[in-house]
Amino acid sequence: ACGTAFAAEHGVPILYPQRPHDADAEARAALDRLCGGDAARRASVARVMRRLRRNEPPPGWLRRALWWLERRVS
């Protein structure tokens, strides 16, 4: 009931504090420097940046296997 809107990832609200928009601009600039126009590399590096910001552990064997299947199916 506080009226705050939270970002979502895969339909799940992200409830940890978000950084201000200038941090997003810095992240985009870093992605430009690191990845240029390579969309696949940008997506991978952005995913790692989000994981490091959340201090999320690396994916386990099951998640990696599901990602592999998802790439094969699509």
Side-chain angles (χ1 to χ4, degrees):
C2 68
T4 303
F6 293 96
E9 186 173 291
H10 303 291
V12 177
I14 302 171
L15 301 177
Y16 60 87
Q18 299 290 311
R19 294 180 181 205
H21 289 353
D22 60 349
D24 292 335
E26 291 175 12
R28 280 193 302 276
L31 285 172
D32 289 339
R33 283 192 313 271
L34 292 171
C35 307
D38 186 357
R41 182 176 282 178
R42 275 183 89 86
S44 295
V45 171
R47 185 172 48 246
V48 170
M49 287 171 65
R50 284 191 306 271
R51 184 182 308 142
L52 290 174
R53 190 178 307 155
R54 289 191 307 246
N55 196 22
E56 181 180 320
W61 67 269
L62 179 60
R63 184 178 291 178
R64 287 192 312 267
L66 291 173
W67 287 341
W68 181 85
L69 280 174
E70 181 182 29
R71 282 192 305 267
R72 299 293 184 228
V73 171
S74 56

